[in-house]
Every structure is written in structure tokens, then in C-alpha cells.
PDB file of all heavy atoms in Angstrom:
ATOM      1  N   ILE A  26      45.411  35.971 -83.435  1.00 97.00           N
ATOM      2  CA  ILE A  26      46.402  35.096 -82.806  1.00 97.00           C
ATOM      3  C   ILE A  26      47.459  35.938 -82.095  1.00 97.00           C
ATOM      4  O   ILE A  26      47.820  35.677 -80.941  1.00 97.00           O
ATOM      5  CB  ILE A  26      47.060  34.171 -83.852  1.00 97.00           C
ATOM      6  CG1 ILE A  26      46.053  33.121 -84.343  1.00 97.00           C
ATOM      7  CG2 ILE A  26      48.302  33.481 -83.271  1.00 97.00           C
ATOM      8  CD1 ILE A  26      46.519  32.346 -85.569  1.00 97.00           C
ATOM      9  N   ALA A  27      47.960  36.961 -82.801  1.00 96.00           N
ATOM     10  CA  ALA A  27      48.969  37.843 -82.200  1.00 96.00           C
ATOM     11  C   ALA A  27      48.445  38.457 -80.906  1.00 96.00           C
ATOM     12  O   ALA A  27      49.125  38.458 -79.879  1.00 96.00           O
ATOM     13  CB  ALA A  27      49.361  38.938 -83.191  1.00 96.00           C
ATOM     14  N   ARG A  28      47.242  38.964 -80.967  1.00 94.00           N
ATOM     15  CA  ARG A  28      46.651  39.604 -79.790  1.00 94.00           C
ATOM     16  C   ARG A  28      46.510  38.618 -78.628  1.00 94.00           C
ATOM     17  O   ARG A  28      46.796  38.939 -77.474  1.00 94.00           O
ATOM     18  CB  ARG A  28      45.289  40.191 -80.163  1.00 94.00           C
ATOM     19  CG  ARG A  28      44.625  40.994 -79.054  1.00 94.00           C
ATOM     20  CD  ARG A  28      43.350  41.670 -79.570  1.00 94.00           C
ATOM     21  NE  ARG A  28      42.704  42.413 -78.508  1.00 94.00           N
ATOM     22  CZ  ARG A  28      41.848  41.877 -77.647  1.00 94.00           C
ATOM     23  NH1 ARG A  28      41.544  40.595 -77.732  1.00 94.00           N
ATOM     24  NH2 ARG A  28      41.300  42.604 -76.687  1.00 94.00           N
ATOM     25  N   GLU A  29      46.098  37.398 -78.953  1.00 96.00           N
ATOM     26  CA  GLU A  29      45.887  36.374 -77.914  1.00 96.00           C
ATOM     27  C   GLU A  29      47.184  35.966 -77.231  1.00 96.00           C
ATOM     28  O   GLU A  29      47.182  35.581 -76.066  1.00 96.00           O
ATOM     29  CB  GLU A  29      45.204  35.139 -78.513  1.00 96.00           C
ATOM     30  CG  GLU A  29      43.712  35.285 -78.722  1.00 96.00           C
ATOM     31  CD  GLU A  29      42.952  35.413 -77.405  1.00 96.00           C
ATOM     32  OE1 GLU A  29      43.235  34.635 -76.478  1.00 96.00           O
ATOM     33  OE2 GLU A  29      42.094  36.309 -77.304  1.00 96.00           O
ATOM     34  N   VAL A  30      48.310  36.029 -77.949  1.00 97.00           N
ATOM     35  CA  VAL A  30      49.584  35.587 -77.359  1.00 97.00           C
ATOM     36  C   VAL A  30      50.411  36.763 -76.846  1.00 97.00           C
ATOM     37  O   VAL A  30      51.577  36.609 -76.487  1.00 97.00           O
ATOM     38  CB  VAL A  30      50.408  34.749 -78.371  1.00 97.00           C
ATOM     39  CG1 VAL A  30      49.613  33.529 -78.813  1.00 97.00           C
ATOM     40  CG2 VAL A  30      50.853  35.583 -79.569  1.00 97.00           C
ATOM     41  N   GLY A  31      49.789  37.954 -76.832  1.00 97.00           N
ATOM     42  CA  GLY A  31      50.456  39.103 -76.228  1.00 97.00           C
ATOM     43  C   GLY A  31      51.326  39.923 -77.151  1.00 97.00           C
ATOM     44  O   GLY A  31      52.187  40.684 -76.696  1.00 97.00           O
ATOM     45  N   VAL A  32      51.114  39.792 -78.469  1.00 96.00           N
ATOM     46  CA  VAL A  32      51.890  40.560 -79.444  1.00 96.00           C
ATOM     47  C   VAL A  32      50.981  41.639 -80.035  1.00 96.00           C
ATOM     48  O   VAL A  32      49.805  41.395 -80.327  1.00 96.00           O
ATOM     49  CB  VAL A  32      52.424  39.645 -80.563  1.00 96.00           C
ATOM     50  CG1 VAL A  32      53.090  40.461 -81.671  1.00 96.00           C
ATOM     51  CG2 VAL A  32      53.398  38.621 -79.995  1.00 96.00           C
ATOM     52  N   ASP A  33      51.511  42.829 -80.245  1.00 95.00           N
ATOM     53  CA  ASP A  33      50.755  43.925 -80.847  1.00 95.00           C
ATOM     54  C   ASP A  33      50.349  43.518 -82.267  1.00 95.00           C
ATOM     55  O   ASP A  33      51.205  43.313 -83.128  1.00 95.00           O
ATOM     56  CB  ASP A  33      51.627  45.184 -80.896  1.00 95.00           C
ATOM     57  CG  ASP A  33      50.897  46.383 -81.471  1.00 95.00           C
ATOM     58  OD1 ASP A  33      49.774  46.226 -81.987  1.00 95.00           O
ATOM     59  OD2 ASP A  33      51.464  47.497 -81.401  1.00 95.00           O
ATOM     60  N   PRO A  34      49.029  43.385 -82.545  1.00 93.00           N
ATOM     61  CA  PRO A  34      48.592  42.940 -83.876  1.00 93.00           C
ATOM     62  C   PRO A  34      49.052  43.847 -85.005  1.00 93.00           C
ATOM     63  O   PRO A  34      49.224  43.388 -86.138  1.00 93.00           O
ATOM     64  CB  PRO A  34      47.062  42.957 -83.764  1.00 93.00           C
ATOM     65  CG  PRO A  34      46.769  42.869 -82.306  1.00 93.00           C
ATOM     66  CD  PRO A  34      47.889  43.596 -81.630  1.00 93.00           C
ATOM     67  N   SER A  35      49.255  45.118 -84.702  1.00 91.00           N
ATOM     68  CA  SER A  35      49.680  46.048 -85.750  1.00 91.00           C
ATOM     69  C   SER A  35      51.108  45.777 -86.209  1.00 91.00           C
ATOM     70  O   SER A  35      51.545  46.295 -87.239  1.00 91.00           O
ATOM     71  CB  SER A  35      49.559  47.492 -85.263  1.00 91.00           C
ATOM     72  OG  SER A  35      50.484  47.759 -84.218  1.00 91.00           O
ATOM     73  N   LYS A  36      51.851  44.951 -85.461  1.00 94.00           N
ATOM     74  CA  LYS A  36      53.241  44.656 -85.810  1.00 94.00           C
ATOM     75  C   LYS A  36      53.409  43.375 -86.614  1.00 94.00           C
ATOM     76  O   LYS A  36      54.529  43.016 -86.984  1.00 94.00           O
ATOM     77  CB  LYS A  36      54.092  44.581 -84.536  1.00 94.00           C
ATOM     78  CG  LYS A  36      54.240  45.932 -83.831  1.00 94.00           C
ATOM     79  CD  LYS A  36      55.165  45.828 -82.635  1.00 94.00           C
ATOM     80  CE  LYS A  36      55.352  47.201 -81.969  1.00 94.00           C
ATOM     81  NZ  LYS A  36      56.243  47.125 -80.789  1.00 94.00           N
ATOM     82  N   ILE A  37      52.310  42.667 -86.884  1.00 95.00           N
ATOM     83  CA  ILE A  37      52.466  41.437 -87.664  1.00 95.00           C
ATOM     84  C   ILE A  37      52.855  41.781 -89.094  1.00 95.00           C
ATOM     85  O   ILE A  37      52.467  42.815 -89.642  1.00 95.00           O
ATOM     86  CB  ILE A  37      51.205  40.553 -87.639  1.00 95.00           C
ATOM     87  CG1 ILE A  37      50.025  41.225 -88.357  1.00 95.00           C
ATOM     88  CG2 ILE A  37      50.831  40.143 -86.233  1.00 95.00           C
ATOM     89  CD1 ILE A  37      48.857  40.296 -88.582  1.00 95.00           C
ATOM     90  N   ASN A  38      53.629  40.904 -89.694  1.00 97.00           N
ATOM     91  CA  ASN A  38      54.116  41.077 -91.054  1.00 97.00           C
ATOM     92  C   ASN A  38      53.246  40.228 -91.977  1.00 97.00           C
ATOM     93  O   ASN A  38      53.528  39.063 -92.219  1.00 97.00           O
ATOM     94  CB  ASN A  38      55.583  40.654 -91.130  1.00 97.00           C
ATOM     95  CG  ASN A  38      56.188  40.869 -92.512  1.00 97.00           C
ATOM     96  OD1 ASN A  38      55.548  41.371 -93.417  1.00 97.00           O
ATOM     97  ND2 ASN A  38      57.438  40.465 -92.653  1.00 97.00           N
ATOM     98  N   TYR A  39      52.167  40.847 -92.476  1.00 96.00           N
ATOM     99  CA  TYR A  39      51.208  40.108 -93.299  1.00 96.00           C
ATOM    100  C   TYR A  39      51.430  40.430 -94.768  1.00 96.00           C
ATOM    101  O   TYR A  39      51.446  41.601 -95.170  1.00 96.00           O
ATOM    102  CB  TYR A  39      49.770  40.453 -92.910  1.00 96.00           C
ATOM    103  CG  TYR A  39      48.743  39.618 -93.643  1.00 96.00           C
ATOM    104  CD1 TYR A  39      48.447  38.325 -93.223  1.00 96.00           C
ATOM    105  CD2 TYR A  39      48.105  40.102 -94.776  1.00 96.00           C
ATOM    106  CE1 TYR A  39      47.540  37.536 -93.916  1.00 96.00           C
ATOM    107  CE2 TYR A  39      47.195  39.331 -95.473  1.00 96.00           C
ATOM    108  CZ  TYR A  39      46.912  38.042 -95.034  1.00 96.00           C
ATOM    109  OH  TYR A  39      46.019  37.262 -95.718  1.00 96.00           O
ATOM    110  N   VAL A  40      51.588  39.379 -95.580  1.00 96.00           N
ATOM    111  CA  VAL A  40      51.801  39.539 -97.017  1.00 96.00           C
ATOM    112  C   VAL A  40      50.523  39.113 -97.730  1.00 96.00           C
ATOM    113  O   VAL A  40      50.135  37.943 -97.685  1.00 96.00           O
ATOM    114  CB  VAL A  40      52.986  38.683 -97.508  1.00 96.00           C
ATOM    115  CG1 VAL A  40      53.223  38.919 -99.000  1.00 96.00           C
ATOM    116  CG2 VAL A  40      54.241  38.986 -96.699  1.00 96.00           C
ATOM    117  N   ALA A  41      49.863  40.077 -98.355  1.00 91.00           N
ATOM    118  CA  ALA A  41      48.584  39.797 -99.025  1.00 91.00           C
ATOM    119  C   ALA A  41      48.807  39.409-100.482  1.00 91.00           C
ATOM    120  O   ALA A  41      49.630  40.002-101.178  1.00 91.00           O
ATOM    121  CB  ALA A  41      47.693  41.030 -98.946  1.00 91.00           C
ATOM    122  N   PHE A  42      48.062  38.393-100.929  1.00 87.00           N
ATOM    123  CA  PHE A  42      48.124  37.960-102.316  1.00 87.00           C
ATOM    124  C   PHE A  42      46.759  38.137-102.964  1.00 87.00           C
ATOM    125  O   PHE A  42      45.733  38.085-102.297  1.00 87.00           O
ATOM    126  CB  PHE A  42      48.564  36.490-102.394  1.00 87.00           C
ATOM    127  CG  PHE A  42      49.971  36.265-101.902  1.00 87.00           C
ATOM    128  CD1 PHE A  42      50.202  35.856-100.592  1.00 87.00           C
ATOM    129  CD2 PHE A  42      51.052  36.502-102.733  1.00 87.00           C
ATOM    130  CE1 PHE A  42      51.494  35.662-100.125  1.00 87.00           C
ATOM    131  CE2 PHE A  42      52.348  36.315-102.281  1.00 87.00           C
ATOM    132  CZ  PHE A  42      52.572  35.895-100.972  1.00 87.00           C
ATOM    133  N   ARG A  43      46.748  38.310-104.275  1.00 74.00           N
ATOM    134  CA  ARG A  43      45.505  38.613-104.976  1.00 74.00           C
ATOM    135  C   ARG A  43      44.664  37.373-105.247  1.00 74.00           C
ATOM    136  O   ARG A  43      43.507  37.484-105.627  1.00 74.00           O
ATOM    137  CB  ARG A  43      45.795  39.314-106.300  1.00 74.00           C
ATOM    138  CG  ARG A  43      46.513  40.649-106.107  1.00 74.00           C
ATOM    139  CD  ARG A  43      46.238  41.616-107.234  1.00 74.00           C
ATOM    140  NE  ARG A  43      46.395  41.038-108.568  1.00 74.00           N
ATOM    141  CZ  ARG A  43      45.990  41.646-109.681  1.00 74.00           C
ATOM    142  NH1 ARG A  43      45.393  42.810-109.606  1.00 74.00           N
ATOM    143  NH2 ARG A  43      46.185  41.081-110.857  1.00 74.00           N
ATOM    144  N   GLY A  44      45.219  36.211-105.048  1.00 70.00           N
ATOM    145  CA  GLY A  44      44.462  34.988-105.292  1.00 70.00           C
ATOM    146  C   GLY A  44      45.121  33.805-104.623  1.00 70.00           C
ATOM    147  O   GLY A  44      46.293  33.856-104.233  1.00 70.00           O
ATOM    148  N   GLY A  45      44.350  32.716-104.497  1.00 75.00           N
ATOM    149  CA  GLY A  45      44.876  31.531-103.839  1.00 75.00           C
ATOM    150  C   GLY A  45      46.068  30.931-104.544  1.00 75.00           C
ATOM    151  O   GLY A  45      46.983  30.401-103.900  1.00 75.00           O
ATOM    152  N   GLY A  46      46.094  31.017-105.880  1.00 82.00           N
ATOM    153  CA  GLY A  46      47.222  30.468-106.627  1.00 82.00           C
ATOM    154  C   GLY A  46      48.529  31.139-106.263  1.00 82.00           C
ATOM    155  O   GLY A  46      49.563  30.479-106.098  1.00 82.00           O
ATOM    156  N   GLU A  47      48.503  32.462-106.124  1.00 87.00           N
ATOM    157  CA  GLU A  47      49.709  33.208-105.748  1.00 87.00           C
ATOM    158  C   GLU A  47      50.158  32.849-104.337  1.00 87.00           C
ATOM    159  O   GLU A  47      51.353  32.692-104.067  1.00 87.00           O
ATOM    160  CB  GLU A  47      49.437  34.710-105.832  1.00 87.00           C
ATOM    161  CG  GLU A  47      49.261  35.246-107.242  1.00 87.00           C
ATOM    162  CD  GLU A  47      49.018  36.744-107.263  1.00 87.00           C
ATOM    163  OE1 GLU A  47      49.171  37.386-106.203  1.00 87.00           O
ATOM    164  OE2 GLU A  47      48.689  37.280-108.334  1.00 87.00           O
ATOM    165  N   ALA A  48      49.194  32.741-103.432  1.00 89.00           N
ATOM    166  CA  ALA A  48      49.524  32.401-102.040  1.00 89.00           C
ATOM    167  C   ALA A  48      50.140  31.009-101.954  1.00 89.00           C
ATOM    168  O   ALA A  48      51.129  30.793-101.236  1.00 89.00           O
ATOM    169  CB  ALA A  48      48.269  32.490-101.167  1.00 89.00           C
ATOM    170  N   ILE A  49      49.574  30.067-102.688  1.00 93.00           N
ATOM    171  CA  ILE A  49      50.089  28.697-102.681  1.00 93.00           C
ATOM    172  C   ILE A  49      51.535  28.666-103.189  1.00 93.00           C
ATOM    173  O   ILE A  49      52.406  28.020-102.596  1.00 93.00           O
ATOM    174  CB  ILE A  49      49.187  27.777-103.536  1.00 93.00           C
ATOM    175  CG1 ILE A  49      47.866  27.533-102.804  1.00 93.00           C
ATOM    176  CG2 ILE A  49      49.884  26.450-103.838  1.00 93.00           C
ATOM    177  CD1 ILE A  49      46.800  26.892-103.671  1.00 93.00           C
ATOM    178  N   ALA A  50      51.794  29.384-104.278  1.00 94.00           N
ATOM    179  CA  ALA A  50      53.150  29.424-104.838  1.00 94.00           C
ATOM    180  C   ALA A  50      54.140  30.010-103.835  1.00 94.00           C
ATOM    181  O   ALA A  50      55.271  29.521-103.695  1.00 94.00           O
ATOM    182  CB  ALA A  50      53.159  30.233-106.130  1.00 94.00           C
ATOM    183  N   ALA A  51      53.711  31.056-103.110  1.00 95.00           N
ATOM    184  CA  ALA A  51      54.591  31.700-102.126  1.00 95.00           C
ATOM    185  C   ALA A  51      54.894  30.766-100.954  1.00 95.00           C
ATOM    186  O   ALA A  51      56.027  30.725-100.459  1.00 95.00           O
ATOM    187  CB  ALA A  51      53.946  32.982-101.611  1.00 95.00           C
ATOM    188  N   ILE A  52      53.899  30.016-100.527  1.00 96.00           N
ATOM    189  CA  ILE A  52      54.100  29.082 -99.416  1.00 96.00           C
ATOM    190  C   ILE A  52      55.015  27.940 -99.840  1.00 96.00           C
ATOM    191  O   ILE A  52      55.995  27.617 -99.159  1.00 96.00           O
ATOM    192  CB  ILE A  52      52.739  28.529 -98.916  1.00 96.00           C
ATOM    193  CG1 ILE A  52      51.897  29.660 -98.322  1.00 96.00           C
ATOM    194  CG2 ILE A  52      52.959  27.431 -97.876  1.00 96.00           C
ATOM    195  CD1 ILE A  52      50.431  29.298 -98.152  1.00 96.00           C
ATOM    196  N   LEU A  53      54.717  27.335-100.984  1.00 96.00           N
ATOM    197  CA  LEU A  53      55.532  26.215-101.466  1.00 96.00           C
ATOM    198  C   LEU A  53      56.965  26.641-101.739  1.00 96.00           C
ATOM    199  O   LEU A  53      57.896  25.860-101.578  1.00 96.00           O
ATOM    200  CB  LEU A  53      54.908  25.620-102.735  1.00 96.00           C
ATOM    201  CG  LEU A  53      53.530  24.954-102.580  1.00 96.00           C
ATOM    202  CD1 LEU A  53      53.028  24.463-103.930  1.00 96.00           C
ATOM    203  CD2 LEU A  53      53.589  23.801-101.583  1.00 96.00           C
ATOM    204  N   GLY A  54      57.135  27.910-102.144  1.00 95.00           N
ATOM    205  CA  GLY A  54      58.473  28.412-102.433  1.00 95.00           C
ATOM    206  C   GLY A  54      59.212  28.909-101.210  1.00 95.00           C
ATOM    207  O   GLY A  54      60.368  29.339-101.315  1.00 95.00           O
ATOM    208  N   GLY A  55      58.574  28.848-100.037  1.00 94.00           N
ATOM    209  CA  GLY A  55      59.216  29.307 -98.810  1.00 94.00           C
ATOM    210  C   GLY A  55      59.371  30.810 -98.730  1.00 94.00           C
ATOM    211  O   GLY A  55      60.197  31.320 -97.965  1.00 94.00           O
ATOM    212  N   ASN A  56      58.547  31.545 -99.488  1.00 96.00           N
ATOM    213  CA  ASN A  56      58.628  33.006 -99.479  1.00 96.00           C
ATOM    214  C   ASN A  56      57.863  33.637 -98.330  1.00 96.00           C
ATOM    215  O   ASN A  56      57.951  34.851 -98.130  1.00 96.00           O
ATOM    216  CB  ASN A  56      58.131  33.561-100.816  1.00 96.00           C
ATOM    217  CG  ASN A  56      58.978  33.079-101.990  1.00 96.00           C
ATOM    218  OD1 ASN A  56      60.195  33.042-101.893  1.00 96.00           O
ATOM    219  ND2 ASN A  56      58.339  32.693-103.075  1.00 96.00           N
ATOM    220  N   VAL A  57      57.066  32.844 -97.635  1.00 97.00           N
ATOM    221  CA  VAL A  57      56.409  33.294 -96.406  1.00 97.00           C
ATOM    222  C   VAL A  57      56.673  32.245 -95.330  1.00 97.00           C
ATOM    223  O   VAL A  57      56.967  31.086 -95.628  1.00 97.00           O
ATOM    224  CB  VAL A  57      54.887  33.505 -96.590  1.00 97.00           C
ATOM    225  CG1 VAL A  57      54.605  34.636 -97.558  1.00 97.00           C
ATOM    226  CG2 VAL A  57      54.201  32.223 -97.042  1.00 97.00           C
ATOM    227  N   THR A  58      56.571  32.657 -94.082  1.00 98.00           N
ATOM    228  CA  THR A  58      56.830  31.736 -92.973  1.00 98.00           C
ATOM    229  C   THR A  58      55.673  30.775 -92.778  1.00 98.00           C
ATOM    230  O   THR A  58      55.860  29.568 -92.587  1.00 98.00           O
ATOM    231  CB  THR A  58      57.049  32.528 -91.670  1.00 98.00           C
ATOM    232  OG1 THR A  58      58.015  33.545 -91.888  1.00 98.00           O
ATOM    233  CG2 THR A  58      57.495  31.615 -90.539  1.00 98.00           C
ATOM    234  N   ILE A  59      54.464  31.325 -92.810  1.00 98.00           N
ATOM    235  CA  ILE A  59      53.258  30.563 -92.523  1.00 98.00           C
ATOM    236  C   ILE A  59      52.142  31.074 -93.416  1.00 98.00           C
ATOM    237  O   ILE A  59      52.061  32.266 -93.698  1.00 98.00           O
ATOM    238  CB  ILE A  59      52.872  30.686 -91.022  1.00 98.00           C
ATOM    239  CG1 ILE A  59      51.582  29.909 -90.702  1.00 98.00           C
ATOM    240  CG2 ILE A  59      52.776  32.149 -90.590  1.00 98.00           C
ATOM    241  CD1 ILE A  59      51.275  29.847 -89.204  1.00 98.00           C
ATOM    242  N   GLY A  60      51.314  30.170 -93.896  1.00 97.00           N
ATOM    243  CA  GLY A  60      50.229  30.572 -94.791  1.00 97.00           C
ATOM    244  C   GLY A  60      48.882  30.163 -94.251  1.00 97.00           C
ATOM    245  O   GLY A  60      48.772  29.190 -93.499  1.00 97.00           O
ATOM    246  N   GLY A  61      47.870  30.911 -94.629  1.00 96.00           N
ATOM    247  CA  GLY A  61      46.525  30.590 -94.201  1.00 96.00           C
ATOM    248  C   GLY A  61      45.531  30.721 -95.339  1.00 96.00           C
ATOM    249  O   GLY A  61      45.682  31.569 -96.218  1.00 96.00           O
ATOM    250  N   SER A  62      44.518  29.858 -95.334  1.00 92.00           N
ATOM    251  CA  SER A  62      43.442  29.932 -96.322  1.00 92.00           C
ATOM    252  C   SER A  62      42.379  28.913 -95.939  1.00 92.00           C
ATOM    253  O   SER A  62      42.510  28.206 -94.931  1.00 92.00           O
ATOM    254  CB  SER A  62      43.965  29.642 -97.725  1.00 92.00           C
ATOM    255  OG  SER A  62      42.976  29.951 -98.689  1.00 92.00           O
ATOM    256  N   GLY A  63      41.311  28.845 -96.749  1.00 90.00           N
ATOM    257  CA  GLY A  63      40.310  27.808 -96.536  1.00 90.00           C
ATOM    258  C   GLY A  63      40.931  26.437 -96.706  1.00 90.00           C
ATOM    259  O   GLY A  63      41.822  26.252 -97.550  1.00 90.00           O
ATOM    260  N   TYR A  64      40.480  25.477 -95.917  1.00 91.00           N
ATOM    261  CA  TYR A  64      41.104  24.156 -95.953  1.00 91.00           C
ATOM    262  C   TYR A  64      41.093  23.562 -97.360  1.00 91.00           C
ATOM    263  O   TYR A  64      42.063  22.923 -97.780  1.00 91.00           O
ATOM    264  CB  TYR A  64      40.408  23.203 -94.974  1.00 91.00           C
ATOM    265  CG  TYR A  64      41.193  21.926 -94.768  1.00 91.00           C
ATOM    266  CD1 TYR A  64      42.164  21.852 -93.775  1.00 91.00           C
ATOM    267  CD2 TYR A  64      41.013  20.825 -95.606  1.00 91.00           C
ATOM    268  CE1 TYR A  64      42.930  20.702 -93.616  1.00 91.00           C
ATOM    269  CE2 TYR A  64      41.773  19.677 -95.448  1.00 91.00           C
ATOM    270  CZ  TYR A  64      42.734  19.622 -94.451  1.00 91.00           C
ATOM    271  OH  TYR A  64      43.498  18.498 -94.299  1.00 91.00           O
ATOM    272  N   SER A  65      40.025  23.799 -98.110  1.00 88.00           N
ATOM    273  CA  SER A  65      39.908  23.203 -99.445  1.00 88.00           C
ATOM    274  C   SER A  65      41.032  23.648-100.376  1.00 88.00           C
ATOM    275  O   SER A  65      41.448  22.892-101.259  1.00 88.00           O
ATOM    276  CB  SER A  65      38.553  23.561-100.065  1.00 88.00           C
ATOM    277  OG  SER A  65      38.429  24.962-100.227  1.00 88.00           O
ATOM    278  N   GLU A  66      41.524  24.871-100.188  1.00 89.00           N
ATOM    279  CA  GLU A  66      42.555  25.393-101.083  1.00 89.00           C
ATOM    280  C   GLU A  66      43.907  24.715-100.869  1.00 89.00           C
ATOM    281  O   GLU A  66      44.728  24.640-101.784  1.00 89.00           O
ATOM    282  CB  GLU A  66      42.693  26.901-100.906  1.00 89.00           C
ATOM    283  CG  GLU A  66      41.459  27.668-101.359  1.00 89.00           C
ATOM    284  CD  GLU A  66      41.637  29.165-101.245  1.00 89.00           C
ATOM    285  OE1 GLU A  66      42.634  29.687-101.759  1.00 89.00           O
ATOM    286  OE2 GLU A  66      40.764  29.812-100.623  1.00 89.00           O
ATOM    287  N   PHE A  67      44.147  24.230 -99.660  1.00 93.00           N
ATOM    288  CA  PHE A  67      45.440  23.624 -99.328  1.00 93.00           C
ATOM    289  C   PHE A  67      45.388  22.099 -99.220  1.00 93.00           C
ATOM    290  O   PHE A  67      46.424  21.463 -99.046  1.00 93.00           O
ATOM    291  CB  PHE A  67      45.952  24.179 -97.994  1.00 93.00           C
ATOM    292  CG  PHE A  67      46.359  25.630 -98.023  1.00 93.00           C
ATOM    293  CD1 PHE A  67      46.519  26.341 -96.837  1.00 93.00           C
ATOM    294  CD2 PHE A  67      46.598  26.294 -99.216  1.00 93.00           C
ATOM    295  CE1 PHE A  67      46.904  27.675 -96.842  1.00 93.00           C
ATOM    296  CE2 PHE A  67      46.981  27.633 -99.239  1.00 93.00           C
ATOM    297  CZ  PHE A  67      47.131  28.316 -98.041  1.00 93.00           C
ATOM    298  N   SER A  68      44.201  21.523 -99.301  1.00 92.00           N
ATOM    299  CA  SER A  68      44.036  20.100 -98.962  1.00 92.00           C
ATOM    300  C   SER A  68      44.934  19.178 -99.782  1.00 92.00           C
ATOM    301  O   SER A  68      45.538  18.247 -99.242  1.00 92.00           O
ATOM    302  CB  SER A  68      42.569  19.681 -99.115  1.00 92.00           C
ATOM    303  OG  SER A  68      42.121  19.890-100.443  1.00 92.00           O
ATOM    304  N   GLU A  69      45.056  19.429-101.102  1.00 93.00           N
ATOM    305  CA  GLU A  69      45.863  18.511-101.917  1.00 93.00           C
ATOM    306  C   GLU A  69      47.343  18.614-101.574  1.00 93.00           C
ATOM    307  O   GLU A  69      48.078  17.621-101.635  1.00 93.00           O
ATOM    308  CB  GLU A  69      45.639  18.786-103.407  1.00 93.00           C
ATOM    309  CG  GLU A  69      46.148  20.115-103.915  1.00 93.00           C
ATOM    310  CD  GLU A  69      45.988  20.245-105.421  1.00 93.00           C
ATOM    311  OE1 GLU A  69      46.811  19.659-106.160  1.00 93.00           O
ATOM    312  OE2 GLU A  69      45.041  20.936-105.861  1.00 93.00           O
ATOM    313  N   TYR A  70      47.787  19.800-101.163  1.00 96.00           N
ATOM    314  CA  TYR A  70      49.201  19.992-100.802  1.00 96.00           C
ATOM    315  C   TYR A  70      49.494  19.419 -99.417  1.00 96.00           C
ATOM    316  O   TYR A  70      50.597  18.939 -99.165  1.00 96.00           O
ATOM    317  CB  TYR A  70      49.553  21.479-100.865  1.00 96.00           C
ATOM    318  CG  TYR A  70      49.281  22.068-102.224  1.00 96.00           C
ATOM    319  CD1 TYR A  70      48.109  22.782-102.461  1.00 96.00           C
ATOM    320  CD2 TYR A  70      50.159  21.866-103.276  1.00 96.00           C
ATOM    321  CE1 TYR A  70      47.834  23.300-103.717  1.00 96.00           C
ATOM    322  CE2 TYR A  70      49.897  22.377-104.544  1.00 96.00           C
ATOM    323  CZ  TYR A  70      48.725  23.088-104.760  1.00 96.00           C
ATOM    324  OH  TYR A  70      48.448  23.581-106.001  1.00 96.00           O
ATOM    325  N   ILE A  71      48.491  19.448 -98.558  1.00 96.00           N
ATOM    326  CA  ILE A  71      48.627  18.805 -97.246  1.00 96.00           C
ATOM    327  C   ILE A  71      48.694  17.290 -97.437  1.00 96.00           C
ATOM    328  O   ILE A  71      49.545  16.609 -96.856  1.00 96.00           O
ATOM    329  CB  ILE A  71      47.451  19.196 -96.322  1.00 96.00           C
ATOM    330  CG1 ILE A  71      47.538  20.678 -95.956  1.00 96.00           C
ATOM    331  CG2 ILE A  71      47.436  18.331 -95.060  1.00 96.00           C
ATOM    332  CD1 ILE A  71      46.315  21.216 -95.226  1.00 96.00           C
ATOM    333  N   ALA A  72      47.803  16.775 -98.277  1.00 95.00           N
ATOM    334  CA  ALA A  72      47.756  15.324 -98.522  1.00 95.00           C
ATOM    335  C   ALA A  72      49.057  14.812 -99.146  1.00 95.00           C
ATOM    336  O   ALA A  72      49.501  13.699 -98.843  1.00 95.00           O
ATOM    337  CB  ALA A  72      46.569  14.989 -99.419  1.00 95.00           C
ATOM    338  N   SER A  73      49.675  15.628-100.008  1.00 97.00           N
ATOM    339  CA  SER A  73      50.910  15.204-100.687  1.00 97.00           C
ATOM    340  C   SER A  73      52.160  15.441 -99.844  1.00 97.00           C
ATOM    341  O   SER A  73      53.254  15.036-100.230  1.00 97.00           O
ATOM    342  CB  SER A  73      51.054  15.950-102.013  1.00 97.00           C
ATOM    343  OG  SER A  73      51.283  17.332-101.790  1.00 97.00           O
TER     344      SER A  73
END
């Protein structure tokens, strides 16, 4: 995405988590700006 919009991909601030549970907690807690994962992992939180 960064590359497509003209941003140096090496400059993105990516926060890696060891599992989906950790990533979900970080997103819900506002500790990251934007989160990504398989749709199934986020579906219940999107629905709610």
C-alpha cells in the first residue's frame, strides 16, 4: 500500500504481534492506528 501511494515502504511503522489475540487487544485499545488480519479474525468485532 505504501509503495502504491508513493511512500517508501521501508519507512512504515509496523508493529508485529505474536498472535491474533494480541493484535486484537492492541487495535481495540487504540495502541495501533490501523490493524490487519484475516477477515475471520476480526468479523465479530466488525459486527459489534
Side-chain angles (χ1 to χ4, degrees):
I26 290 168
R28 185 174 179 274
E29 281 294 314
V30 301
V32 173
D33 182 351
S35 67
K36 292 184 178 180
I37 66 169
N38 183 2
Y39 185 80
V40 183
F42 295 96
R43 299 207 312 168
E47 290 181 10
I49 288 168
I52 295 164
L53 295 178
N56 299 318
V57 295
T58 309
I59 179 172
S62 190
Y64 192 89
S65 62
E66 293 183 52
F67 291 164
S68 59
E69 67 175 282
Y70 303 99
I71 292 171
S73 67

